[in-house]
Amino acid sequence: MADEIDELIEFLSDPKPQVRVAAVDIVRGLTGGEDGLRALTARADRALPALLRLLASAAGSGAGEAAADSLVNLSQDAALAARLVALGAVDAAMDVVAKRGGEEPALARSLVMLLVNLTHVASGVAALLQVGDEKVQGLYVAKLVRSFCRSSSDSEEQDTFEYVASILVNISKVEAGRRILMEPKRGLLKQIIRQFDSTNQLRKKGVAGTIRNCCFEADTQLQNLLSLAEYLWPALLLPVAGKKIYSEEDRLKMPLELSSALSHEREAVEDSEIRQQTLEAIYMIVLQDDGRRSFWSVNGPRILQVGYEDEEDPKVMEAYELIGSLLVGKGEGEQEQGEKPQ
């Protein structure tokens, strides 16, 4: 078996295209099982470079997609992910997505999934952010966000770029990533927030996690966050607003984007993690004086009060209560000073 694996890896670099295609297809199958993964991991020093070279195989051959799928499976191992980053896998993946993503959506989808795994390791995040090169820093991220926002699961059989949502969560866990996403001139966070309306749960969850991570910068970047209030508050409040129809009295104290959504019954956001993440984001915003004033200006406390009545998850209820404890004794005065609903 060992000799066969060694020979198979050699075939990945065979001069004949048909041999390479057949070999990489077998490798893809092997990476779907533990024994195959173990055997290839033991030969990673030869297997990984060969698979990376195949990413740029001629369109239509299927070799690129098979190589990408193999790398997705192998890169679930953090050590192999780090080795791939060192071999230039982030640059290779982004290059192929840029050049062939439109004509080969399945290949692009696999490469985005590969980038998810690579950004689970610190070196992969740094490579995707292009840290250290000010001229291009953030360019890869901007390209991914653009593709993420242009594509839609509502209009495609398969959402090619849905896993960008997970990449955004990964890179927003570090300060450098949050800084790029929140830079006003780039406008990336605004584009991302607007994807929260998607019916795709992976997108919705990724957007919620990204917003939540960015709110860790609320103490220094609050004004940048509040400049997006028109999009930010609906994204954060609607998932935790419950299903009830709000009274006209309540809705008159809200901006249009909230009042119109809360004027009729809605489907609840079933994923408790999304609800918890949005509440954690709200908490970090209302820790700041201006954040509390903005929260009151959209009638946020009333929305959380109604939403809490429908909540059943203990952890999410605790997140509601944490915000409530922060607002006690602060709300009424700040409500009067806050901005009027638009």
Side-chain angles (χ1 to χ4, degrees), residues 2-299:
D3 291 341
E4 292 175 359
I5 297 291
D6 289 329
E7 188 176 13
L8 181 63
I9 292 173
E10 289 181 14
F11 284 145
L12 292 175
S13 302
D14 194 274
K16 298 177 182 177
Q18 62 269 33
V19 174
R20 295 197 300 270
V21 171
V24 74
D25 199 44
I26 295 171
V27 169
R28 174 166 55 182
L30 287 173
T31 62
E34 289 186 13
D35 291 342
L37 280 172
R38 194 178 302 113
L40 289 165
T41 298
R43 298 161 177 80
D45 57 333
R46 287 178 293 129
L48 297 183
L51 288 168
L52 279 175
R53 285 193 295 271
L54 286 172
L55 289 181
S57 297
S61 69
E65 188 178 339
D69 290 344
S70 302
L71 290 170
V72 169
N73 293 335
L74 287 163
S75 62
Q76 293 179 66
D77 180 296
L80 291 186
R83 290 173 73 172
L84 280 167
V85 173
L87 289 168
V90 170
D91 291 333
M94 288 300 302
D95 184 58
V96 175
V97 169
K99 291 178 178 177
R100 292 164 50 191
E103 63 190 59
E104 294 187 76
L107 173 59
R109 179 179 170 83
S110 293
L111 290 173
V112 171
M113 293 173 70
L114 173 61
L115 289 170
V116 173
N117 291 347
L118 298 183
T119 52
H120 280 307
V121 298
S123 59
V125 171
L128 189 66
L129 296 178
Q130 298 164 289
V131 172
D133 190 342
E134 292 186 4
K135 292 182 179 179
V136 297
Q137 185 169 293
L139 184 61
Y140 283 165
V141 175
K143 288 180 177 179
L144 287 173
V145 170
R146 184 166 61 246
S147 296
F148 178 62
C149 295
R150 282 181 178 173
S151 65
S152 169
S153 58
D154 298 331
S155 60
E156 299 176 11
E157 288 185 12
Q158 190 174 56
D159 190 341
T160 303
F161 290 97
E162 63 180 345
Y163 280 98
V164 171
S166 300
I167 295 173
L168 295 173
V169 173
N170 291 345
I171 65 172
S172 62
K173 290 177 181 178
V174 303
E175 184 181 356
R178 294 192 292 270
R179 189 169 62 248
I180 288 171
L181 292 176
M182 298 178 74
E183 190 176 318
K185 289 183 180 179
R186 295 182 190 270
L188 299 180
L189 187 58
K190 178 180 177 180
Q191 296 176 57
I192 293 165
I193 292 172
R194 295 177 74 172
Q195 286 296 305
F196 196 80
D197 290 337
S198 173
T199 57
N200 181 313
Q201 288 302 300
L202 178 58
R203 282 176 173 261
K204 191 181 272 303
K205 192 169 186 174
V207 171
T210 302
I211 296 172
R212 179 250 189 198
N213 289 346
C214 286
C215 285
F216 276 102
E217 302 294 323
D219 57 337
T220 59
Q221 298 253 21
L222 183 64
Q223 294 311 313
N224 285 343
L225 285 168
L226 295 184
S227 70
L228 304 175
E230 176 184 354
Y231 310 100
L232 182 64
W233 285 127
L236 294 180
L237 286 168
L238 291 178
V240 292
K243 296 184 289 185
K244 295 185 179 73
I245 298 174
Y246 281 62
S247 69
E248 185 176 357
E249 181 183 358
D250 286 337
R251 288 186 280 112
L252 284 172
K253 300 174 184 177
M254 301 175 189
L256 181 62
E257 54 270 14
L258 279 170
S259 63
S260 60
L262 299 177
S263 64
H264 52 80
E265 286 192 8
R266 304 157 305 286
E267 288 189 15
V269 174
E270 298 293 344
D271 192 325
S272 62
E273 189 173 345
I274 291 177
R275 300 197 303 277
Q276 185 168 350
Q277 287 176 334
T278 58
L279 288 167
E280 289 173 353
I282 292 169
Y283 178 78
M284 287 183 275
I285 292 173
V286 299
L287 275 173
Q288 312 302 318
D289 290 344
D290 285 348
R292 279 195 300 278
R293 280 190 280 271
S294 179
F295 184 63
W296 275 105
S297 77
V298 298
N299 208 10

